[in-house]
């Protein structure tokens, strides 16, 4: 799905990452199908969506939640922050912009896209959508603390980006690096656009984490009394601790620090289990020729651990016998397979058992 957004994803991201604004054109249907006006209608008027998944802005100001929410109850327990469709549509009629936040948590097409983008970049990502009535502008000129991909799925919007203008319409993707000043105004019809925010992990954060591991070895004992009158007491006590931290930092192998970062990222993503209930029902019939596919956005990274094998699955680690490495390497390199494809490295009963396990774990799904 990522190539629908960017064409050649790797080339596009490499070229644009350090550049200023970049515009890319693709087939409109590749983007409009991710979140359409009817989808937003259903979320706002026919679901129990709550704040903070929704916020509203008008003329550069965020409106109070009390103006578009209500209370309710479920199984006798109170619910707060429920979006009131009548109030919300009234604000929309009056020129307000409705923002759907964190769509990667509850809208499957964008959840798939964000998960794939995270694996492509190695940075956490998020998806928001902005619904703006004709001629209205939700926010004044501002800049974001993260990189942004933006694309239109309904109507058109005129963007002012770093002093230049860009008309965003379905099929156009814009990339705005961190800190790029921008504002946008809907044109003649209702406008719906999606932003993909890239919350960059930095070299500083990686180094700080490595240094923090060394600092954690320093004793937590109190500073000596009397150091205000005699700072040399601190000097004498501090010197060996600083030397120990410096030695510990120097002793850290960059490769080991990098491996810990990879493991941390690939075990801390949100679970990717959409459709797993249906798959579980179908597992009993899984056989040699059952067509399986890799679940979008789920990694399959293998790490040796003595006589075991760790499989990094995005939100957790699966530990299996090391003898399964050839079979899992085969799974990792394929987008689709049947259990019979693993017969070169496993006997058929073992291949079926492994595939069933990988379906349960969410790495594979039944096509």
């Amino acid at each position: 799905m990522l190539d629908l957004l960017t064409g050649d994803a790797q080339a596009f991201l490499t070229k644009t990452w350090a550049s200023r604004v970049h515009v890319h054109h693709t087939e409109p249907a590749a983007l409009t199908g991710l979140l359409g006006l009817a989808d937003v209608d259903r979320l706002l008027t026919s679901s129990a969506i709550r704040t903070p998944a929704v916020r509203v802005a008008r003329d550069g100001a965020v409106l109070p939640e009390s103006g578009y929410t209500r209370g309710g109850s479920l199984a006798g327990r109170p619910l707060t922050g429920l979006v009131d469709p009548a109030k919300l549509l009234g604000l929309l009629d009056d020129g307000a912009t409705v923002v759907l936040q964190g769509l990667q948590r509850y809208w499957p097409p964008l959840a798939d896209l964000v998960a794939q983008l995270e694996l492509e970049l190695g940075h956490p990502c998020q998806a928001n959508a902005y619904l703006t009535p004709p001629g209205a502008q939700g926010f004044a000129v501002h800049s974001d603390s993260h990189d942004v991909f933006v694309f239109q799925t309904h109507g058109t919007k005129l963007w002012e980006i770093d002093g230049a203008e860009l008309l965003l319409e379905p099929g156009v993707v814009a990339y705005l690096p961190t800190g790029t000043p921008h504002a946008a105004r809907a044109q003649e019809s209702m406008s719906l656009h999606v932003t993909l925010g890239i919350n960059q992990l930095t070299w500083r954060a990686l180094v700080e984490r490595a240094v923090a591991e060394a600092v954690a070895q320093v004793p937590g004992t109190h500073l000596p009394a009397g150091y205000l009158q005699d700072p040399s007491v601190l000097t004498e006590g501090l010197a060996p601790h600083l030397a120990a931290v410096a030695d510990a930092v120097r002793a850290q192998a960059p490769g080991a620090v990098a491996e810990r970062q990879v493991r941390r990222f690939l075990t801390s993503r949100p679970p990717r289990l959409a459709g797993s209930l249906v798959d579980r029902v179908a597992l009993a019939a899984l056989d040699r020729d059952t067509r399986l596919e890799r679940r979008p956005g789920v990694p399959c990274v293998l790490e040796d651990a003595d006589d075991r094998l760790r499989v990094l699955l995005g939100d957790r680690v699966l530990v299996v016998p090391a003898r399964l490495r050839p079979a899992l390497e085969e799974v990792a390199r394929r987008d689709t397979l049947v259990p019979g494809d693993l017969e070169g490295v496993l006997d058929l009963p073992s291949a079926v058992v492994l595939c069933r396990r990988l379906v349960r774990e969410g790495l594979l799904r039944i096509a």
Side-chain angles (χ1 to χ4, degrees), residues 6 8-24 175 177:
T6 63
D8 184 339
Q10 289 279 9
F12 179 78
L13 293 169
T14 299
K15 183 169 69 173
T16 62
W17 189 262
S19 72
R20 300 305 294 170
V21 178
H22 184 91
V23 179
H24 177 77
Y175 163 80

CSV table of all heavy atoms in Angstrom, one decimal, residues 6 8-24 175 177:
chain,number,residue,atom,x,y,z
A,6,THR,N,3.4,6.8,-2.6
A,6,THR,CA,4.6,7.5,-3.0
A,6,THR,C,5.2,7.0,-4.3
A,6,THR,O,6.2,7.5,-4.7
A,6,THR,CB,5.7,7.2,-1.9
A,6,THR,OG1,6.0,5.8,-1.9
A,6,THR,CG2,5.3,7.7,-0.6
A,8,ASP,N,7.6,4.9,-6.1
A,8,ASP,CA,8.7,4.1,-5.6
A,8,ASP,C,9.0,4.6,-4.2
A,8,ASP,O,9.7,5.7,-4.0
A,8,ASP,CB,9.9,4.3,-6.5
A,8,ASP,CG,11.1,3.4,-6.1
A,8,ASP,OD1,11.1,3.0,-4.9
A,8,ASP,OD2,11.9,3.2,-7.0
A,9,ALA,N,8.5,3.9,-3.2
A,9,ALA,CA,8.6,4.5,-1.8
A,9,ALA,C,10.0,4.7,-1.4
A,9,ALA,O,10.3,5.8,-0.8
A,9,ALA,CB,8.0,3.5,-0.8
A,10,GLN,N,10.9,3.8,-1.6
A,10,GLN,CA,12.3,4.0,-1.1
A,10,GLN,C,12.9,5.2,-1.8
A,10,GLN,O,13.6,6.0,-1.1
A,10,GLN,CB,13.1,2.7,-1.4
A,10,GLN,CG,12.8,1.5,-0.6
A,10,GLN,CD,13.4,1.6,0.8
A,10,GLN,OE1,14.0,2.6,1.2
A,10,GLN,NE2,13.3,0.5,1.5
A,11,ALA,N,12.8,5.3,-3.1
A,11,ALA,CA,13.4,6.4,-3.8
A,11,ALA,C,12.8,7.8,-3.4
A,11,ALA,O,13.5,8.8,-3.1
A,11,ALA,CB,13.3,6.3,-5.3
A,12,PHE,N,11.5,7.8,-3.2
A,12,PHE,CA,10.8,9.0,-2.8
A,12,PHE,C,11.2,9.5,-1.4
A,12,PHE,O,11.6,10.6,-1.2
A,12,PHE,CB,9.3,8.8,-2.8
A,12,PHE,CG,8.5,10.0,-2.4
A,12,PHE,CD1,8.3,11.0,-3.3
A,12,PHE,CD2,7.9,10.1,-1.2
A,12,PHE,CE1,7.5,12.1,-3.0
A,12,PHE,CE2,7.2,11.2,-0.8
A,12,PHE,CZ,7.0,12.2,-1.7
A,13,LEU,N,11.2,8.5,-0.5
A,13,LEU,CA,11.6,8.9,0.9
A,13,LEU,C,13.0,9.3,1.0
A,13,LEU,O,13.4,10.3,1.7
A,13,LEU,CB,11.3,7.7,1.8
A,13,LEU,CG,9.8,7.4,2.0
A,13,LEU,CD1,9.7,6.1,2.7
A,13,LEU,CD2,9.1,8.5,2.7
A,14,THR,N,13.9,8.6,0.3
A,14,THR,CA,15.3,9.0,0.3
A,14,THR,C,15.5,10.4,-0.3
A,14,THR,O,16.3,11.2,0.3
A,14,THR,CB,16.1,8.0,-0.5
A,14,THR,OG1,16.0,6.7,0.0
A,14,THR,CG2,17.6,8.4,-0.5
A,15,LYS,N,14.8,10.7,-1.3
A,15,LYS,CA,15.0,12.0,-2.0
A,15,LYS,C,14.4,13.1,-1.2
A,15,LYS,O,15.0,14.2,-1.1
A,15,LYS,CB,14.4,12.0,-3.4
A,15,LYS,CG,14.6,13.3,-4.2
A,15,LYS,CD,14.2,13.1,-5.6
A,15,LYS,CE,12.7,12.9,-5.8
A,15,LYS,NZ,12.2,12.9,-7.2
A,16,THR,N,13.3,12.9,-0.5
A,16,THR,CA,12.6,14.0,0.1
A,16,THR,C,13.0,14.2,1.6
A,16,THR,O,12.7,15.2,2.2
A,16,THR,CB,11.1,13.8,0.1
A,16,THR,OG1,10.8,12.6,0.8
A,16,THR,CG2,10.6,13.7,-1.4
A,17,TRP,N,13.6,13.2,2.2
A,17,TRP,CA,13.8,13.2,3.7
A,17,TRP,C,14.5,14.5,4.1
A,17,TRP,O,14.1,15.2,5.1
A,17,TRP,CB,14.5,12.0,4.2
A,17,TRP,CG,14.6,11.9,5.7
A,17,TRP,CD1,15.5,12.3,6.5
A,17,TRP,CD2,13.5,11.4,6.5
A,17,TRP,NE1,15.2,12.1,7.8
A,17,TRP,CE2,14.0,11.5,7.8
A,17,TRP,CE3,12.2,10.9,6.3
A,17,TRP,CZ2,13.2,11.1,8.9
A,17,TRP,CZ3,11.5,10.5,7.3
A,17,TRP,CH2,12.0,10.6,8.6
A,18,ALA,N,15.5,14.9,3.4
A,18,ALA,CA,16.3,16.1,3.9
A,18,ALA,C,16.0,17.3,3.0
A,18,ALA,O,16.6,18.3,3.2
A,18,ALA,CB,17.8,15.8,3.8
A,19,SER,N,15.0,17.2,2.2
A,19,SER,CA,14.7,18.3,1.3
A,19,SER,C,13.6,19.2,1.9
A,19,SER,O,13.0,18.9,3.0
A,19,SER,CB,14.2,17.8,-0.1
A,19,SER,OG,12.9,17.3,0.1
A,20,ARG,N,13.2,20.3,1.2
A,20,ARG,CA,12.1,21.1,1.5
A,20,ARG,C,10.8,20.4,0.9
A,20,ARG,O,10.8,19.2,0.7
A,20,ARG,CB,12.3,22.5,1.1
A,20,ARG,CG,13.5,23.2,1.7
A,20,ARG,CD,13.5,23.2,3.2
A,20,ARG,NE,12.4,24.0,3.8
A,20,ARG,CZ,12.1,23.9,5.1
A,20,ARG,NH1,12.8,23.2,5.9
A,20,ARG,NH2,11.1,24.7,5.5
A,21,VAL,N,9.8,21.2,0.7
A,21,VAL,CA,8.5,20.7,0.3
A,21,VAL,C,8.7,19.9,-1.1
A,21,VAL,O,9.4,20.4,-2.0
A,21,VAL,CB,7.5,21.8,0.1
A,21,VAL,CG1,6.2,21.3,-0.4
A,21,VAL,CG2,7.3,22.5,1.4
A,22,HIS,N,8.1,18.8,-1.1
A,22,HIS,CA,8.1,18.0,-2.4
A,22,HIS,C,6.7,17.5,-2.7
A,22,HIS,O,5.9,17.2,-1.8
A,22,HIS,CB,9.0,16.7,-2.1
A,22,HIS,CG,9.2,15.9,-3.4
A,22,HIS,ND1,10.2,16.1,-4.3
A,22,HIS,CD2,8.5,14.9,-3.9
A,22,HIS,CE1,10.1,15.3,-5.3
A,22,HIS,NE2,9.0,14.5,-5.1
A,23,VAL,N,6.3,17.5,-4.0
A,23,VAL,CA,5.0,17.2,-4.4
A,23,VAL,C,5.1,16.0,-5.3
A,23,VAL,O,5.9,15.9,-6.2
A,23,VAL,CB,4.3,18.3,-5.1
A,23,VAL,CG1,2.9,17.9,-5.6
A,23,VAL,CG2,4.2,19.6,-4.2
A,24,HIS,N,4.2,15.0,-5.1
A,24,HIS,CA,4.2,13.8,-5.9
A,24,HIS,C,2.8,13.5,-6.4
A,24,HIS,O,1.8,13.8,-5.7
A,24,HIS,CB,4.6,12.6,-5.0
A,24,HIS,CG,4.6,11.3,-5.7
A,24,HIS,ND1,5.6,10.9,-6.6
A,24,HIS,CD2,3.7,10.2,-5.6
A,24,HIS,CE1,5.3,9.6,-7.0
A,24,HIS,NE2,4.1,9.2,-6.4
A,175,TYR,N,4.9,16.6,0.7
A,175,TYR,CA,5.7,16.3,1.9
A,175,TYR,C,6.2,17.6,2.5
A,175,TYR,O,6.8,18.4,1.8
A,175,TYR,CB,6.9,15.4,1.4
A,175,TYR,CG,8.1,15.4,2.4
A,175,TYR,CD1,8.0,14.5,3.5
A,175,TYR,CD2,9.2,16.2,2.2
A,175,TYR,CE1,9.1,14.5,4.3
A,175,TYR,CE2,10.3,16.1,3.0
A,175,TYR,CZ,10.2,15.3,4.1
A,175,TYR,OH,11.3,15.2,5.0
A,177,PRO,N,8.6,19.0,5.5
A,177,PRO,CA,9.6,18.7,6.5
A,177,PRO,C,9.2,19.4,7.8
A,177,PRO,O,8.5,20.4,7.8
A,177,PRO,CB,10.9,19.2,6.0
A,177,PRO,CG,10.7,19.4,4.5
A,177,PRO,CD,9.3,19.7,4.3
